Amino acid sequence: MSDGLVNMTQRRGFNLKGGGQIVGVLIAFVVICVVASLVAPQFLTSYNMTIISRDLAFIGIVAIAQGMLLLLGDIDVSIGAIAGLCGIVCTKLLVDAQLDPALAISAGLAVGAIAGAVNGTIITMFNLNSLVVTIGMLSVYSGLNLWITKGRTIVGLPKEVTVLGGGTLMGVPPPVYIMAGVFLVILFLTTKTVYGRRLYAVGNSREAAKIIGIHEQRVRITAYAVAGALAGLAGMLLCFRLVSAQASMGQSWLLPSIAAPVIGGIATTGGIGTIWGALLGAAIIAVIGNVIVLGGVDVYLQQVVTGAIVVIAVALDAITRKMGRG
């Protein structure tokens, strides 16, 4: 099976590194930063860099999670609701049950992994469209969030966890370190392991992957479980940052979670792109959002800009691939 997998990746032209495209995204990021520093003098201050890095940490983790699923050719629009569910469960365990923080965080990660695995199992077992299934599960998880919180904000988190979201370590917010760790683990998983090659193989062609002996259902369910756990991690960090939990948490992450990997070159059809791209795309979105705030533009226009960027990125990606085939 190994030889078949290697031959298949060579024959199908899988893009495990995507070096050329990453360079293009990196250049775009640098240009955006230069323009931002020119139009907003406070952009390069240390205080503003801290704000950007903290925003990037949350967007980056959910973008990496969504990026894994996009590499499969799937998508999970319930990822923000899963993040909220994990944050709420963890907060309830810390506040109401006064559970040890390590156990409460572990429970939150487990909830995220289970929620993601449920999505993946339904999609693969019944061979359903991931978009349709996760739209339904979005409603399920959002409803659970409302049911658990009763529509109220949960407060009273212990100080030892709130420093994880709101403190700094050597001038850098802890979520940035956590995002960096997540990035390195998922980068290794997708580029240096057999599972990573299977992920790309399934994303490129499920039928061909089956022929060479890959258990595509297992690969996809595992990816959904990992993505759910990562979303849960981001959700819990947001709770620690806000020192509270509420039902609407994570809802605003849906668009950035999709936009960042697409901007970074991960094909929505699967099999092409890298986790590097998801991270760079998240950085671009974080910088653009920051510049909008610094420029005094209505913050709600951030969603308009982000939406326009993802549409343009998808269109350019489709045009580039069409020209490549031509």
Side-chain angles (χ1 to χ4, degrees):
M1 187 182 67
S2 308
D3 292 341
L5 185 55
V6 171
N7 292 336
M8 183 178 174
T9 57
Q10 292 173 343
R11 186 170 61 255
R12 297 279 180 177
F14 291 171
N15 187 359
L16 293 174
K17 297 181 179 178
Q21 197 158 13
I22 288 299
V23 172
V25 178
L26 183 59
I27 291 173
F29 173 69
V30 172
V31 170
I32 290 171
C33 288
V34 171
V35 173
S37 64
L38 294 176
V39 299
Q42 64 271 51
F43 175 76
L44 291 177
T45 61
S46 59
Y47 175 72
N48 194 53
M49 287 294 110
T50 302
I51 293 175
I52 292 176
S53 63
R54 201 188 301 273
D55 290 344
L56 168 60
F58 296 119
I59 298 173
I61 293 174
V62 292
I64 290 169
Q66 192 75 267
M68 283 189 66
L69 301 178
L70 289 174
L71 286 174
L72 284 168
D74 286 355
I75 192 170
D76 188 345
V77 299
S78 69
I79 208 162
I82 292 176
L85 177 62
C86 297
I88 290 166
V89 169
C90 179
T91 301
K92 289 282 283 184
L93 291 174
L94 287 167
V95 175
D96 293 348
Q98 296 189 337
L99 200 65
D100 180 83
L103 293 177
I105 292 171
S106 298
L109 291 174
V111 168
I114 292 170
V118 168
N119 288 356
T121 301
I122 295 172
I123 290 166
T124 58
M125 183 174 292
F126 301 104
N127 195 26
L128 299 174
N129 183 284
S130 60
L131 177 62
V132 174
V133 171
T134 55
I135 286 176
M137 296 309 291
L138 167 64
S139 180
V140 171
Y141 297 132
S142 297
L144 282 174
N145 293 345
L146 280 170
W147 178 68
I148 296 172
T149 61
K150 309 299 182 190
R152 295 191 292 267
T153 300
I154 306 171
V155 297
L157 280 167
K159 189 175 181 180
E160 55 261 43
V161 299
T162 58
V163 296
L164 286 174
T168 58
L169 180 62
M170 294 186 291
V172 178
V176 176
Y177 293 108
I178 296 171
M179 181 206 67
V182 166
F183 167 73
L184 292 175
V185 169
I186 301 302
L187 181 67
F188 179 82
L189 181 71
T190 54
T191 59
K192 301 295 182 184
T193 68
V194 173
Y195 177 80
R197 285 191 171 275
R198 289 173 177 169
L199 191 78
Y200 278 89
V202 172
N204 191 68
S205 172
R206 288 170 194 161
E207 293 305 317
K210 287 179 184 177
I211 290 173
I212 62 173
I214 295 175
H215 196 305
E216 65 100 10
Q217 286 185 326
R218 191 178 301 161
V219 172
R220 293 172 74 193
I221 292 171
T222 302
Y224 274 95
V226 172
L230 293 182
L233 177 61
M236 288 185 286
L237 288 173
L238 182 60
C239 286
F240 301 158
R241 167 64 176 158
L242 300 176
V243 201
S244 63
Q246 52 187 295
S248 61
M249 284 176 42
Q251 289 182 356
S252 63
W253 286 346
L254 172 58
L255 188 56
S257 78
I258 300 170
V262 172
I263 291 170
I266 295 182
T268 55
T269 50
I272 296 176
T274 70
I275 296 302
W276 271 108
L279 184 63
L280 278 174
I284 288 175
I285 289 175
V287 169
I288 290 175
N290 181 261
V291 172
I292 287 175
V293 173
L294 291 179
V297 180
D298 192 323
V299 70
Y300 293 109
L301 279 177
Q302 184 175 342
Q303 293 189 28
V304 176
V305 174
T306 307
I309 289 173
V310 72
V311 171
I312 292 171
V314 171
L316 288 175
D317 178 68
I319 292 170
T320 303
R321 298 184 198 291
K322 188 175 181 180
M323 292 176 65
R325 287 194 298 270

